[in-house]
């Protein structure tokens, strides 16, 4: 086997594993969501596995570079098994047509699972096979470095190219974080609510999304019935609605109300049909789950945010912001009730005291009349 091709394979796999592990460590909040979205078996979907996963990737990269033959065969087999598992998970999501995020490299690159993700993972499986064959023939990363002799300069070029690529993608990936995360109120640009049609009740004529928020603020949840994070959010909507009764929670999808009842009946109390998928289009067709907060003044009040973690954070921020207003309203209502009680008590006391005053006046009149009667008769 060509030395350059073999060493490139060892280096590429190690670099990918390190980038994947470091990316997950920098953004751990997305790893648990990715485990659900990709349908990782329950036996592996444990908190300790999720926490250890990025460290295991970094450790495997170190083994690929450090183990000599024959131990290099073990590292190559483990790497092939890992990338094959990644490919199978991604391929299952792509074949089902569901929307999911893999959080493969943390904040670096696209996290949306699509055919390009499957192609990338298939390429990594092919490189893993190349490395395994090299290891089986007695090769290792250490041995291939030793065989380079004076031709080591191209390795430096490969490392420099990889570093430049990482820095470029890292700079580009830092911008979406401000969009996906919940914006502070003072920095949030409140745009008008899009005038797009939705159908809140089966059989009714479509109404504007603006009209939906005319009387109460609305949290729109753009979900898909098949994706794992969307299912987890579905199980929380009822609790959110009870915790924040001042706001309506709405689940949006383009399927009809009848289809919704057959596929995901848990959506029924909150379901609004987005006619022709218009709502998703005006918000740039974000991946699902996504959420956006509509204000009663006809303006957007939060979002859109994308991903289970961001949606949960949006709801948590809404709950936190509403709590002081709710307490103030409760205090005002209690003060008004106390004032009303005191006024009623005063009126009752006044009403009870009036007959007594009238009786005392009548008694006083009766004592004066007999005294004047005899005196006039004597005259």
């Amino acid at each position: 086997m060509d030395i350059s091709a073999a060493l490139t394979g060892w280096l590429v796999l190690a670099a990918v594993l390190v980038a994947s592990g470091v990316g997950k460590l920098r953004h751990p909040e997305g790893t648990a969501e990715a485990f659900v979205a990709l349908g990782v078996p329950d036996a592996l979907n444990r908190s300790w596995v999720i926490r250890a996963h990025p460290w295991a990737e970094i450790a495997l990269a170190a083994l690929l570079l450090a183990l000599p033959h024959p131990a290099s065969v073990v590292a190559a087999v483990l790497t092939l098994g890992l990338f094959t598992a990644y490919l199978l998970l991604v391929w299952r999501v792509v074949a089902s047509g569901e929307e999911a995020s893999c959080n493969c490299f943390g904040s670096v690159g696209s996290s949306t699972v699509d055919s390009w993700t499957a192609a990338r993972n298939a390429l990594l499986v092919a490189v893993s096979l190349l490395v395994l064959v090299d290891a089986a023939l007695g090769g290792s990363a250490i041995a291939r470095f030793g065989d380079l002799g004076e031709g080591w300069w191209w390795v430096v070029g490969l490392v420099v190219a990889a570093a430049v690529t990482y820095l470029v993608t890292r700079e580009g990936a830092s911008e979406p974080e401000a969009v996906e995360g919940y914006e502070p109120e003072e920095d949030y640009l409140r745009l008008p609510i899009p005038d797009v049609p939705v159908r809140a009740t089966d059989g009714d004529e479509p109404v504007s999304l603006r009209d939906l928020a005319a009387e109460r603020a609305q949290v729109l949840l753009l979900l898909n019935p098949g994706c794992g994070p969307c299912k987890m959010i579905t199980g929380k909507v009822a609790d959110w609605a009870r915790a924040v009764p001042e706001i309506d929670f709405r689940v949006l999808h383009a399927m009809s109300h009848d289809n919704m009842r057959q596929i995901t009946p848990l959506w029924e109390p909150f379901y609004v049909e987005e006619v022709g998928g218009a709502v998703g289009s005006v918000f740039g067709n974000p991946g699902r789950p996504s959420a956006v907060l509509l204000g009663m003044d006809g303006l957007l009040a939060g979002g859109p945010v994308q991903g289970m973690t961001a949606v949960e954070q949006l709801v948590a921020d809404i709950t936190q912001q509403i709590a002081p207003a709710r307490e103030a309203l409760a205090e005002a209502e209690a003060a008004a009730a106390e004032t009303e009680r005191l006024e009623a008590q005063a009126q009752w006391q006044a009403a009870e005291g009036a007959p007594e005053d009238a009786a005392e006046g009548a008694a006083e009149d009766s004592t004066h009349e007999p005294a004047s009667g005899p005196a006039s008769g004597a005259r």
Side-chain angles (χ1 to χ4, degrees), residues 42 190 226:
D42 293 339
R190 302 194 64 198

Side-chain angles (χ1 to χ4, degrees), residues 220-224 230 252 274 279-280 283 286 288-292:
L220 305 183
L221 300 170
L222 283 72
L223 306 180
N224 270 343
C230 295
L252 273 77
E274 49 170 336
V279 177
F283 289 120
R288 306 202 179 197
S290 296
V292 60

Side-chain angles (χ1 to χ4, degrees), residues 119-207:
R120 179 196 66 198
N121 285 22
L123 180 60
L124 290 174
V125 169
V127 176
S128 300
L129 282 171
L130 172 68
V131 167
L132 179 57
V133 171
D134 184 50
L137 295 176
S140 67
I142 295 178
R144 294 310 180 191
F145 270 114
D147 293 339
L148 283 178
E150 297 180 357
W152 57 268
W153 59 267
W154 68 268
V155 177
V156 177
L158 181 64
V159 172
V160 171
V164 171
T165 301
Y166 171 76
L167 292 175
V168 171
T169 56
R170 182 175 181 271
E171 291 176 0
S174 62
E175 297 177 0
E177 291 183 11
V179 177
E180 295 178 3
Y182 184 68
E183 295 284 348
E185 186 175 351
E186 63 271 13
D187 297 332
Y188 184 75
L189 178 61
R190 302 194 64 198
L191 300 175
I193 297 173
D195 185 14
V196 293
V198 294
R199 184 178 286 109
T201 307
D202 193 12
D204 288 352
E205 291 296 322
V207 299

Side-chain angles (χ1 to χ4, degrees), residues 54 83 87 100 145 179 182 219 305 365 370:
F83 283 119
L87 176 60
F145 270 114
V179 177
Y182 184 68
V219 174
V305 298
D365 292 341

Side-chain angles (χ1 to χ4, degrees), residues 109-348:
S110 173
S111 62
T112 303
V113 175
D114 53 20
S115 57
W116 288 105
T117 311
R120 179 196 66 198
N121 285 22
L123 180 60
L124 290 174
V125 169
V127 176
S128 300
L129 282 171
L130 172 68
V131 167
L132 179 57
V133 171
D134 184 50
L137 295 176
S140 67
I142 295 178
R144 294 310 180 191
F145 270 114
D147 293 339
L148 283 178
E150 297 180 357
W152 57 268
W153 59 267
W154 68 268
V155 177
V156 177
L158 181 64
V159 172
V160 171
V164 171
T165 301
Y166 171 76
L167 292 175
V168 171
T169 56
R170 182 175 181 271
E171 291 176 0
S174 62
E175 297 177 0
E177 291 183 11
V179 177
E180 295 178 3
Y182 184 68
E183 295 284 348
E185 186 175 351
E186 63 271 13
D187 297 332
Y188 184 75
L189 178 61
R190 302 194 64 198
L191 300 175
I193 297 173
D195 185 14
V196 293
V198 294
R199 184 178 286 109
T201 307
D202 193 12
D204 288 352
E205 291 296 322
V207 299
S208 172
L209 187 63
R210 294 177 184 174
D211 297 335
L212 200 65
E215 297 181 358
R216 286 169 59 87
Q218 311 280 314
V219 174
L220 305 183
L221 300 170
L222 283 72
L223 306 180
N224 270 343
C227 82
C230 295
K231 293 179 181 178
M232 296 186 68
I233 289 178
T234 296
K236 299 180 179 181
V237 177
D239 293 335
W240 290 344
R242 286 190 293 268
V244 192
E246 299 87 351
I247 294 179
D248 288 338
F249 286 82
R250 307 281 193 168
V251 175
L252 273 77
H253 195 276
M255 62 180 167
S256 67
H257 284 259
D258 287 338
N259 290 340
M260 175 272 300
R261 294 188 189 98
Q262 297 176 7
I263 299 175
T264 53
L266 291 177
W267 286 1
E268 186 166 5
F270 316 100
Y271 188 67
V272 174
E273 178 185 351
E274 49 170 336
V275 179
V279 177
S281 298
V282 297
F283 289 120
N285 291 317
R288 306 202 179 197
S290 296
V292 60
L293 175 61
L294 309 182
M296 294 174 56
D297 56 359
L299 301 176
L300 300 181
V305 298
Q306 177 181 339
M308 184 177 69
T309 302
V311 171
E312 291 176 337
Q313 185 60 51
L314 175 65
V315 176
D317 290 343
I318 292 171
T319 304
Q320 183 178 5
Q321 292 176 8
I322 284 181
R326 182 186 297 159
E327 293 175 359
L329 179 60
E331 292 176 358
E333 291 178 348
E338 179 65 16
T339 301
E340 184 178 355
R341 186 188 67 82
L342 294 175
E343 291 177 352
Q345 183 178 4
Q347 293 175 359
W348 178 80

